[in-house]
Amino acid sequence: MKKTYTIAGNWKMNTLSNEATDLAQSIRQQSANSNSNIILIPPFIHIPEIVRIAEKSRVHVGAQNCHYEKKGAYTGEISAEMIAESGCAYVLAGHSERRQYFGETDEIVALKTAAILESGMKPIVCIGETLNERQEGSTLDVIARQFRAFASHIENSLFYKIIIAYEPVWAIGTGLAATHQQAQEVHGFIRNLIISANPIAYIPILYGGSVTDANAAELFAQPDIDGALIGGASLKSDVFCRIISIADNINKELS
Ligand code: PGA
């Protein structure tokens, strides 16, 4: 089956404005003939400029976080509606760094997911187990809990707008990616959770955690891996664009 791969670059708290501009321009140029869905996720402050660079191209822009309330006295926060107005089509929800360093619970992630959908954007909801949880053998329980926490709040008619990123916490920024077998096992499990929650919607499931141009081909060849959420390697335009080409080539072979 032909898939459209989604390749998303989460720049985290990196890039000053000239670096962000250079990175986005280079990715836009190199990916002009891509058949993948490319998403750049810069720090908030660069969003308007990256949206301008991405205009009339294959590249979409996302945000790394949002608040779940529409407006009000929440100093330092940004609402989903503000992000949508700035030209973003996607927002990450529940990245493990938000869960770990900023106390985001499953309930908060569910509220954010709903707010992102309500504002007309697509949430990329991140789920994944810690090293301890994997070693205890509770990976699939954790994934099921994190999935149900947000999925149970989503209206059926909006379900198809979600993207899920499976990101084992132990693989993020460590250089120790999950093997393609480990990733496929969890992706297959998530696929079944999706089918039982909403049999009609096809939801892309991205893998995240130390993806590079060296392991992307093996990961993308798995039946339930529909692309990648990439941190470190998304800051180097050549490496990021090689990962896009790997996805493009699999697509061409399948078509
Ligand atoms: P990494 O980050 O590619 O640097 O491991 C992935 C992520 O945090 O989304």
Side-chain angles (χ1 to χ4, degrees):
M1 193 184 67
K2 187 169 163 7
K3 307 186 199 178
T4 299
Y5 286 87
T6 294
I7 311 296
N10 172 13
W11 296 358
K12 307 192 181 184
M13 198 173 73
N14 293 297
T15 66
L16 294 176
S17 60
N18 61 335
E19 295 164 322
T21 309
D22 288 353
L23 187 55
Q25 273 166 346
S26 168
I27 293 167
R28 183 200 155 121
Q29 246 167 24
Q30 292 186 63
S31 65
N33 298 318
S34 169
N35 54 35
S36 299
N37 182 31
I38 301 161
I39 309 172
L40 303 184
I41 311 178
F44 282 129
I45 196 154
H46 303 321
I47 286 175
E49 182 60 11
I50 305 304
V51 166
R52 198 189 57 71
I53 293 168
E55 258 169 33
K56 299 197 179 74
S57 78
R58 305 275 323 166
V59 177
H60 302 279
V61 184
Q64 297 175 15
N65 181 33
C66 69
H67 198 279
Y68 52 82
E69 292 289 354
K70 281 196 161 67
K71 60 178 176 178
Y74 301 101
T75 301
E77 293 293 326
I78 297 188
S79 75
E81 203 177 8
M82 292 170 191
I83 294 169
E85 189 187 36
S86 73
C88 284
Y90 299 86
V91 185
L92 296 181
H95 189 281
S96 67
E97 287 152 15
R98 302 281 329 160
R99 294 179 190 257
Q100 194 180 341
Y101 304 134
F102 302 97
E104 288 193 11
T105 59
D106 285 347
E107 290 67 35
I108 294 175
V109 176
L111 289 169
K112 289 188 178 194
T113 304
I116 295 162
L117 285 168
E118 202 182 319
S119 68
M121 297 181 292
K122 296 187 175 189
I124 304 175
V125 190
C126 306
I127 56 182
E129 81 287 2
T130 61
L131 186 58
N132 261 346
E133 290 164 337
R134 176 160 281 266
Q135 285 169 341
E136 277 170 4
S138 55
T139 297
L140 300 183
D141 294 338
V142 171
I143 296 295
R145 189 202 75 220
Q146 292 178 337
F147 176 86
R148 292 200 180 103
F150 70 84
S152 56
H153 292 282
I154 295 169
E155 270 178 47
N156 265 348
S157 63
L158 293 176
F159 216 87
Y160 75 97
K161 289 196 166 189
I162 298 170
I163 296 179
I164 292 176
Y166 167 56
E167 298 208 305
V169 178
W170 49 270
I172 296 178
T174 58
L176 187 77
T179 63
H180 59 274
Q181 293 96 336
Q182 285 171 322
Q184 171 54 34
E185 186 200 0
V186 180
H187 280 236
F189 179 74
I190 297 171
R191 182 76 68 213
N192 286 333
L193 290 173
I194 295 168
I195 291 168
S196 21
N198 188 318
I200 300 161
Y202 186 87
I203 308 245
I205 310 171
L206 315 184
Y207 169 78
S210 297
V211 176
T212 67
D213 50 344
N215 57 20
E218 270 188 341
L219 289 162
F220 294 167
Q222 303 309 305
D224 293 302
I225 298 186
D226 302 311
L229 177 56
I230 306 164
S234 73
L235 295 168
K236 299 176 201 122
S237 65
D238 291 356
V239 179
F240 188 66
C241 290
R242 275 202 294 278
I243 299 172
I244 295 172
S245 303
I246 290 168
D248 289 344
N249 287 337
I250 301 181
N251 244 337
K252 275 185 213 137
E253 279 167 26
L254 293 171
S255 60

